Amino acid sequence: MGEEKKLFSQEMREITRTIHNKSDTMVNAKLGVTMSDDSVWAEGLLVFYEVFKFLEEALERHKDSLIGDLLIPGMQRTRAFEEDLSHYLGQEWKQDYSVRPEVQNYLEHLRNLEERQPYLLVAYVYHLYMGLFSGGQILRAKKMMSLSSVSTSEGNNVTAYENTTIGSLKKQLKGAINEFAENIDRELRQEILEEGINVFKLNNTIIASVKGVDEVLRRRLLKLLIAVILLIILFLFSWGYFREEHSASQQTDKIINVEL
């Protein structure tokens, strides 16, 4: 029996496994617990907003081509990004908004790909949306556990999906990707696989540009330091009180013994 043919979606995961793991490590090291802070969360939304917007507009521009099948209903996130950014930054956030250099470089790369071979954008569609379906839910859960988010679900539209399930979206996207791959030649398939590595490289550059992380860490470390100091003071106070009571008790016992 011949070896079973791998699905293209499986090949895409395998070729990027190493850099994907490195990227996950970087996210945890760079953001970590600070992602639960609203300012850092908003920064994370801001750096990826333009990328998702570009991809969705590109899919619309090429909807009559093979990649048009990747326009899965319910998957689009542009409006959700804008709603969340309005929640965190205010309704007029676009007035003073400018795309940062790291994101501009990312977009320039995407524009070059679209001009040269639009099908190479498939690597970005697959990895970014699958990442949002899976990793985005983990980040959402961490954020919802924070004190600042426990009472409201507002500002979490990017990771919320109405009238469908994440499992269904993942299944549809994988199916569309695999069907697409059946209609292209081997050379283009390999180009898309290799472009997947660039997805994570470019993601890392914009993640590194997220602002406010150090400030949040300093603020939380200060709170931790204050808590530790208060505990030490409480311990010293309790210890001193105990010694005083113990000493008074011993003195009382001596007086009683003398009287006897």
Side-chain angles (χ1 to χ4, degrees):
M1 295 179 62
E3 185 178 349
E4 185 177 349
K5 184 179 179 181
K6 287 184 180 179
L7 295 173
F8 191 56
S9 57
Q10 183 180 354
E11 291 183 90
M12 294 181 78
R13 291 196 306 273
E14 290 179 354
I15 197 171
T16 58
R17 182 171 292 136
T18 299
I19 192 168
H20 191 169
N21 291 337
K22 289 181 179 179
S23 183
D24 287 345
T25 301
M26 178 182 177
V27 169
N28 291 327
K30 172 70 177 178
L31 305 179
V33 295
T34 64
M35 182 56 80
S36 62
D37 185 270
D38 284 350
S39 63
V40 176
W41 181 265
E43 269 284 302
L45 293 174
L46 202 59
V47 297
F48 278 102
Y49 162 63
E50 295 288 349
V51 177
F52 278 87
K53 179 183 177 184
F54 178 92
L55 291 174
E56 290 174 6
E57 290 176 348
L59 288 177
E60 183 64 31
R61 287 191 290 271
H62 300 280
K63 63 182 179 181
D64 294 327
S65 70
L66 288 177
I67 59 175
D69 291 336
L70 302 185
L71 278 170
I72 298 170
M75 190 176 80
Q76 296 85 348
R77 296 289 90 189
T78 298
R79 179 176 294 181
F81 268 100
E82 293 174 347
E83 290 174 349
D84 285 353
L85 287 168
S86 294
H87 172 77
Y88 293 113
L89 305 179
Q91 295 295 325
E92 308 299 325
W93 68 272
K94 285 187 178 182
Q95 289 187 358
D96 299 321
Y97 167 65
S98 60
V99 181
R100 65 191 65 186
E102 295 84 355
V103 178
Q104 288 177 351
N105 291 337
Y106 199 138
L107 295 176
E108 184 63 25
H109 182 74
L110 294 179
R111 282 191 285 267
N112 290 337
L113 289 182
E114 183 181 11
E115 183 177 348
R116 179 168 68 88
Q117 174 50 276
Y119 290 177
L120 292 176
L121 294 176
V122 166
Y124 294 84
V125 173
Y126 177 78
H127 289 297
L128 285 172
Y129 283 91
M130 290 299 289
L132 189 59
F133 294 155
S134 300
Q137 297 308 304
I138 296 174
L139 293 176
R140 174 189 171 92
K142 288 182 178 179
K143 186 173 188 301
M144 294 298 288
M145 289 175 64
S146 70
L147 291 176
S148 62
S149 303
V150 71
S151 62
T152 178
S153 60
E154 293 182 3
N156 295 304
N157 293 295
V158 167
T159 52
Y161 298 87
E162 298 180 359
N163 305 319
T164 188
T165 64
I166 291 176
S168 175
L169 289 172
K170 291 171 72 173
K171 183 177 180 180
Q172 290 181 72
L173 181 56
K174 286 181 182 179
I177 290 286
N178 291 326
E179 184 175 351
F180 160 81
E182 292 297 321
N183 292 283
I184 59 175
D185 58 43
R186 183 177 299 179
E187 182 179 351
L188 182 53
R189 285 170 62 107
Q190 187 60 34
E191 280 192 76
I192 294 172
L193 290 174
E194 293 173 359
E195 187 61 35
I197 296 174
N198 287 330
V199 175
F200 292 96
K201 287 181 178 179
L202 289 167
N203 286 351
N204 290 344
T205 63
I206 61 175
I207 290 171
S209 74
V210 170
K211 303 172 184 176
V213 175
D214 293 341
E215 181 182 348
V216 172
L217 285 175
R218 282 195 296 269
R219 189 164 64 243
R220 293 191 175 186
L221 285 173
L222 179 60
K223 289 181 180 179
L224 178 61
L225 180 60
I226 291 174
V228 170
I229 292 174
L230 289 175
L231 284 174
I232 292 174
I233 292 173
L234 180 61
F235 171 77
L236 292 175
F237 176 79
S238 300
W239 182 66
Y241 178 79
F242 173 79
R243 284 193 61 186
E244 184 177 336
E245 288 293 309
H246 182 67
S247 177
S249 177
Q250 287 183 327
Q251 190 67 29
T252 302
D253 289 344
K254 286 181 180 179
I255 292 174
I256 293 174
N257 289 335
V258 169
E259 290 178 348
L260 291 175

